[in-house]
């Protein structure tokens, strides 16, 4: 969508400080370059986004929450 509308992407990070307090930070905008119809442009933009997310996860891995399964279960594999 950002490539289609030429809209910057702003990544926001919320870090838990204690039971009732959080720190909120926003990254510098990522300016989309190229076209949504060009797969290389889409991959380049997603790579930039994932690199920033990866950095923040590596700084506080205990605060990362995965909201959907990533690894297959035995049921998924037909066992």
């Amino acid at each position: 969508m950002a490539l289609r509308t030429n809209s910057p992407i702003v990544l926001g990070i919320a870090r838990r400080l204690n039971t009732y307090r959080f720190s909120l930070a926003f990254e510098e905008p990522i300016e989309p370059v190229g076209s949504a119809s060009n797969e290389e442009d889409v991959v380049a933009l997603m790579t930039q986004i994932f690199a920033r997310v990866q950095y923040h996860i590596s700084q506080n891995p205990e605060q990362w929450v995965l909201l959907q399964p990533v690894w297959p279960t035995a049921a998924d594999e037909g066992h």
Side-chain angles (χ1 to χ4, degrees):
M1 186 184 306
L3 284 167
R4 286 189 187 122
T5 61
N6 197 31
S7 299
I9 297 170
V10 179
L11 180 67
I13 303 296
R15 188 170 59 91
R16 186 180 56 254
L17 301 175
N18 60 36
T19 304
Y20 300 107
R21 297 189 58 92
F22 292 83
S23 167
L24 182 60
F26 293 96
E27 289 274 329
E28 291 294 321
I30 299 171
E31 299 292 340
V33 176
S35 168
S37 60
N38 182 335
E39 187 173 341
E40 290 178 5
D41 294 340
V42 174
V43 169
L45 181 59
M46 295 304 293
T47 300
Q48 285 184 311
I49 295 167
F50 290 149
R52 290 191 188 188
V53 171
Q54 180 181 7
Y55 169 78
H56 288 286
I57 291 171
S58 73
Q59 297 302 299
N60 297 285
E62 73 284 358
Q63 298 208 14
W64 174 247
V65 176
L66 191 58
L67 300 176
Q68 65 183 33
V70 174
W71 296 278
T73 64
D76 295 334
E77 296 175 349
H79 294 121

